[in-house]
Amino acid sequence: RNGKKSLISECIWNVVLFIPLGILLVLLFRGRCVLLPVLTGAAVSAVVELVQLVGKLGLFEFDDMIYNTAGCLIGVLVGSVITVLFKKKC
């Protein structure tokens, strides 16, 4: 039972930790396209997993890349909404 909670917690953290990256990427790409920041986030996640594999620093887990990319997507959506709202106020 405790292992299941730990796994769920790990999945949630994989999403949450990539949300700021998604917001940052929207600002860097100036909100031109949603796909490019999400693909960049997926690439960053892949690099993190490959470093863990090559450096024997952790486990290479494909599902981590999916959760990280989902977090980045959420960040991109949040960043896009913030960008639109900010443009309307100025």
Side-chain angles (χ1 to χ4, degrees):
R1 180 170 166 110
N2 195 21
K4 188 175 182 180
K5 282 184 180 180
S6 176
L7 181 62
I8 292 170
S9 175
E10 181 183 333
C11 294
I12 290 170
W13 277 111
N14 279 328
V15 172
V16 169
L17 290 173
F18 268 68
I19 291 174
L21 177 63
I23 294 170
L24 178 64
L25 290 171
V26 165
L27 297 174
L28 288 175
F29 290 114
R30 304 200 193 273
R32 292 185 196 141
C33 175
V34 172
L35 185 61
L36 190 57
V38 173
L39 290 176
T40 304
V44 169
S45 178
V47 168
V48 168
E49 291 300 318
L50 286 171
V51 166
Q52 288 182 8
L53 177 67
V54 172
K56 297 181 173 100
L57 301 169
L59 295 174
F60 177 93
E61 296 186 38
F62 186 72
D63 60 331
D64 283 357
M65 289 192 296
I66 294 170
Y67 291 122
N68 293 343
T69 303
C72 187
L73 174 61
I74 292 169
V76 167
L77 295 174
V78 169
S80 296
V81 168
I82 291 170
T83 301
V84 168
L85 291 175
F86 185 72
K87 284 182 181 178
K88 285 184 179 180
K89 287 186 176 184
C90 292

